[in-house]
Structure formats: C-alpha cells, structure tokens
Amino acid sequence: MDINWRDFFIVGNPLILGSQIAIVLVVIGIVALLTYLKKWQWLWREWITTVDHKRIGIMYILAGVLMFFRGGVDGLMMKAQTSRPEMNFLDAQHYNEVFTTHGVIMILFAAMPLLIGIMNYVIPLQIGARDVAFPQLNALSFWLFFSGAMLFNISFVIGGSPDAGWTAYFPLAGKEFTPGIGNNYYAVAIQIAGIGTLISGINFIVTILKMRAKGMTLMKMPMFTWTSFIASVIIVSAFPIFTVALALMTLDRIFGTHFFTLSGGGMDMMWVNLFWLWGHPEVYIVVLPAFGMFSEVIATFSRKMLFGYKSMVFSVVGIAFLSMLVWVHHFFTMGAGPAVNSVFSITTMMIAIPTGVKMFNWLFTMRKGRIEFSTAMLWALAFIPCFLIGGITGVMLAMSAADYQYHNTLFLVAHFHYTLIPGVVFAVFAGLYYWWPKMFGHMLNEKLGKIHFWLFTIGFNVTFMPMFFLGLDGAVRRSYTYSAESGFAPLFLVSAIGAAILAVGFAAFCYNIYWSARHADRNISNDPWNARTLEWATASPAPFYNFAKVPEVKTLDAFWHMKKHNEGLTLSDDEIKEIHMPSNSGLPFYMGVIFGITGFFLVFEWKIAALVAAVGIIIGLIIRSFDYDDGYHVTVDEIKETEKSWRSSGGKGVKNHVG
C-alpha cells in the first residue's frame, strides 16, 4: 500500500494536534524523571522483567486505569458533540472514529486489564499458591496485551483511527467503504492483545486446577476464584473464534481475500456471527469475575458466609453454558427469520434465571448481617439496583418483535451501559478499595472514596437514564447530530451534564490514589477488613513468595475458620523450608515489542518489513525453547527475616489473628 507521508501523521485537527504534543511532552517527562532519579535499572529489574504475578497484576491495573481515562475522554467528546442540536465540535468522520475507539478501549483495553489485573494479584493468594502455573507465560500475556493496546492507541495520531464501530461490521469495515488503514489497526492490534488474553485464560485454568492448597477442593474455593475460573473457560472457548475472525479480516483487508467482501462473493453475515459468537460470551468474561468480587465484598462486610454457595456455583456454570447460545439476539433485525429469532429469544430469557439466582444470594447474604458501609460495600450495594435496570431492559430486548423497535435506538445503548458499568466498573472499584491494602500496604482514603462513589454513581445515572427515554422517543444510536425540531435537546443536555459528573468522580478516584500513596497510614493490619479468604493470611503487601508455609484448608472461608478456631495462624521456625521461585526474564518484554513492530508494519501493509520483523518472533520462541533457567531458591534465613518483619511488628491488628 502506498502511503502518502503527509498523511502518516494526522494533521489539521486541533484536538489531535494537542494530543500529539501531549504525548511527546509526557514521554520526554517520563524519560527525564527516570534519568534524574536514576531509576532505569530499578524499572527493568523490578517491573519490566518481572514474572511475579502480583507485579504483573499491578501493571495490568495501571494500564487499565490509563485506558479508562482514554476511553472516558472519547465518551466526553461524544457527549459534548450531542449536548446541543447541530453542534460542530466533531465532524461525522471524527465522531465515527471516536465512538469506535471508545467501545474497543473500554471493553478490551480498560475492563479486561482491570479485571485480569485483579485476578492476577488475588487468585494465587486465594488458593494458597506461590505463583501462577506459568509465570513467564503470564508476563508474556501482559506484554502482548500492552503491545496491542499501544498499537491501537497510536492510530488516532498516526494513520487514522478505525471508524466502522466497535463491532466492525462488514461491508463497512471492508476496503470498499473504508480504504484507509484505520480498520487495519482494529484487525491487527486486537489480534495481538487477544493472544495475550487467551494465554491468560489457559494460565488461570491450569493454576486453579493444579495449584490449590492442600485440602482446597473445588467446592471450597472462594467465589471470586470460581467465577474467574469459569470466565477463563469462556475465554478459552470464545477467544479462538474472534482470533479466526480477525485473521480473516486481516486477510481481506491486507492480502486481498474475500471472506467477508460482498463484491468478491464473501458473506458479511459470517463476520457478524463470528463476532457475536465471541462478543456475547465476552460480556460474561468481564461480568463473571465482577460477580465474584461482589460476592467477596458482600460476604466480608455483612460478616456472614455467602448465602447459597453451591447454587451460586451452579448458576455461574449455567451462565457459562448459556452464554454460547444467545449470540443471535444481537442481530434479530438482520433477517434470520421468526423461528430462529424465537429460539434465541428463549435462550436469552433463560440466561436471566441464573443471574437472578445470584441477586437473591447476595440479598440473603446481607439479610440479618452486621453490614459495614465501607466504600467497597457501597459499590456492591449500588450495583444491585443499577444492574437490575440493565437486566430488565435486557429481557425487553430479548423479545425479538420488540427488538425491531429498540435495536437501532439509544435505548439499547442505555441498556448495555447499565449492564457493563454497574456489572464491571462498579465491581472493579469495589475490588480496588477492598484489595488495595493487600496490594500496597495502605488503604485508600474512605472519605475520598465515598466522594468518588457518590459523584460517579449519580453521574452514571444522570448520563444513561435519559438515553432510555431518548431511545423510546426514536433517537437513533451512532448519529453525530440531530435537529432542534426533534425535541431531543433537553435530555441530551442532561446526559452530557451527567457525563461531566462521571468525569469528576473518576478524577476523585485518581486523586484518592495520589493522596493515599503520599499520606495513608502504613501501620495497618494484614487483615484490615476482618476478611474470610486466604489472601489475608499473609503480609500486606504480600511477600514475593506469598506464603512462608502453604496453608492447609479444611473448609470454605478458610481464613475465617483459621481465626475462629485459632488454627494455622502461627509459624514456627522448623516449619520454614527453602522456597523455589522462578527467575525474572526479559524475553516476554522483547516478544511484546517484536509483536508490536510486526503489527505496525502489517497495519501499513508493508508486508516485507512485517515478514522480516516476524522472524524476531521465531527467534524469541527458539530462545525460550533453549531456556534452561530453573529459577532460584529463597533461603530459610531470608524467609525468617521477612516473616519476622510483619508478624512481630506492632502494627494495628497485625497480631490479632496471625503471629
């Protein structure tokens, strides 16, 4: 493909010019700061080459917060454009690019890394493991995700953003209608990140099945571990479908095949089916771990065992099964016919049943509980009514005849935001407030946390509730403007104001992180919440080896049982043995860089350069094949010193339960 170098960098748009300048200044600032503080070796040794699941989890979370900011800016720009009739803040093309990148970034590059980051940090601790099953593969999964995310994000300053919607429907996403390189970014960058996610799914499945502490049967696992396990099974089932679809899209756009190209005899509906065969299970890939987080938070702050544990497990398994049988409800309007639509309408309604079961589990857990209204618990409480609105409107959309009226309107947009924001974003905030002391050794400020909660929750409802009524009045989605005569202006303005409140709420969260890092009390208990699961049985933050002695599990809520019966809390010197740990490696980072370079060349259709860069991937695989590093052993003396530093300190409550 011949690229006009004047079109290589996007010019002529003041918003994009400002972004380009900001990117350059931020990069210069980071490089200068690291150089001034002489932190380059520290960055390489402690973070870039780490294979520690906890550090990898923190890097996922930081990347997710940054991507949430980027996706949020896209959302604010859309709301600014539609705040008044016939606004000229964004033109039609720029609006198409913005709502495309907003959807992709929020789902794939914000929600996924935030959830996988928390899973990475918490799951090995919850099951009493010292790391994930494949530590170096875990690092590779992060760097592939990060490489794909960065490749996707440079599109708006180099070459142009994808503009066919986050679903990239053909024929619009094909070369006939979008001949530029924007949608090449979609095909290649998501492919790279998706490989990393698939690797994570495999890693979590093996870790949970093979590395649980002695005595922890499947039915004694914490609920967050259960939901993450089922989500990982769905990842392994669904992501290969998307991988194939993206590979075919790449072949169509870059190599001239016609799998989805109508003019060449392809089938555009094949893309739609492949996309939603992945896309609807993807909803449960992000929602199920979130349900697990709510379960942990609600049980802890209700001071009760989770009600109906077995029914919760069976409902999660049922959701996983049904998630693969409902994809057609995303295109009831595309001519499948009444018989097919009826079948998928029924399966869609059926999936609401196990979801409803969990709602009652949480409500009965709180019943007669001694509820503590911490910030984490407030997020869990707000989730229930907000998600219920999303679920009820989802059942409305499940009726195929009614969906013909709702489908292309803002009613549907409001529905899936009421599903994904309470069901995922609220959970991530709850999980971060809950596990922050475990990650960093200090708590997030509760007062700032409640300000963040109220601003974000109010802003969310003010933003998306008016969209239900706009949709019922006929306001269509994906439209960058509307007329004054439509009468939509007041509700669009209310929605824009709500988005601004949302942004202030997120800013309060970011300030809370900064304030707590500077001023929060470090002299806290390893178990500040009086929690129930094993991650709280070790130091906060957890040592690099997690547990000096792997705990033995006798019942559900193992740590609660240990505290209640005063068993397994102390550690004698003769119980400490050498611990085998994996060595750091720069290979995953190298592989991420090479994948990114290869992807960049593919995006611009520089095929020979991409082929040469791909040789670097093969070299990386060969290097890994001849890697005989068996790791290292942590000495008994080092373990004793580490354990003594937190078990015998005078911190608040440190010796209450563990000593």
Side-chain angles (χ1 to χ4, degrees), residues 265-295:
M267 296 175 60
D268 57 340
M269 281 299 296
M270 182 166 71
W271 167 266
V272 177
N273 277 276
L274 289 173
F275 180 89
W276 286 115
L277 266 167
W278 161 81
H280 196 84
E282 165 65 14
V283 172
Y284 295 102
I285 289 169
V286 294
V287 165
L288 287 181
F291 286 172
M293 291 184 206
F294 287 131
S295 298

Side-chain angles (χ1 to χ4, degrees), residues 135-192:
Q136 194 170 141
L137 204 61
N138 196 27
L140 176 62
S141 70
F142 170 76
W143 289 114
L144 288 178
F145 150 76
F146 190 75
S147 178
M150 292 302 100
L151 182 61
F152 189 87
N153 273 274
I154 65 171
S155 64
F156 78 108
V157 293
I158 300 178
S161 295
D163 58 359
W166 88 276
T167 55
Y169 281 176
F170 282 80
L172 182 61
K175 275 292 184 68
E176 316 101 301
F177 294 99
T178 51
I181 66 163
N183 287 305
N184 291 357
Y185 275 109
Y186 183 101
V188 176
I190 298 177
Q191 181 85 298
I192 294 171

Side-chain angles (χ1 to χ4, degrees), residues 389-512:
I389 293 170
I392 290 170
T393 52
V395 174
M396 293 170 65
L397 288 159
M399 296 181 285
S400 55
D403 187 64
Y404 270 73
Q405 301 300 317
Y406 303 136
H407 187 78
N408 201 40
T409 72
L410 290 176
F411 185 92
L412 184 141
V413 177
H415 151 71
F416 69 69
H417 281 88
Y418 262 90
T419 301
L420 289 175
I421 292 180
V424 178
V425 179
F426 284 19
V428 166
F429 288 143
L432 289 177
Y433 279 97
Y434 180 59
W435 281 303
W436 199 266
K438 181 54 57 180
M439 295 179 185
F440 299 104
H442 66 268
M443 298 167 69
L444 288 171
N445 183 277
E446 283 286 296
K447 183 177 180 180
L448 289 172
K450 289 178 170 63
I451 293 172
H452 164 217
F453 166 77
W454 285 112
L455 284 171
F456 197 94
T457 305
I458 291 169
F460 160 71
N461 284 284
V462 174
T463 301
F464 295 105
M465 184 60 72
M467 295 170 71
F468 282 120
F469 300 100
L470 284 166
L472 292 174
D473 281 344
V476 296
R477 55 185 175 140
R478 307 192 184 103
S479 178
Y480 83 107
T481 191
Y482 57 95
S483 67
E485 292 77 15
S486 65
F488 299 153
L491 286 177
F492 267 119
L493 180 59
V494 170
S495 183
I497 293 170
I501 299 171
L502 262 178
V504 175
F506 181 71
F509 172 66
C510 294
Y511 177 72
N512 196 348

Side-chain angles (χ1 to χ4, degrees), residues 192-204:
I192 294 171
I195 294 170
T197 303
L198 181 59
I199 291 171
S200 288
I202 295 168
N203 212 343
F204 285 131

Side-chain angles (χ1 to χ4, degrees), residues 31 66 86 93 118 179 211 241 261 279 326 412 457 465 486 514:
V31 170
L66 289 173
E86 300 175 7
Q93 175 60 26
I118 295 173
M211 299 186 69
I241 300 170
T261 312
V326 298
L412 184 141
T457 305
M465 184 60 72
S486 65
Y514 165 78

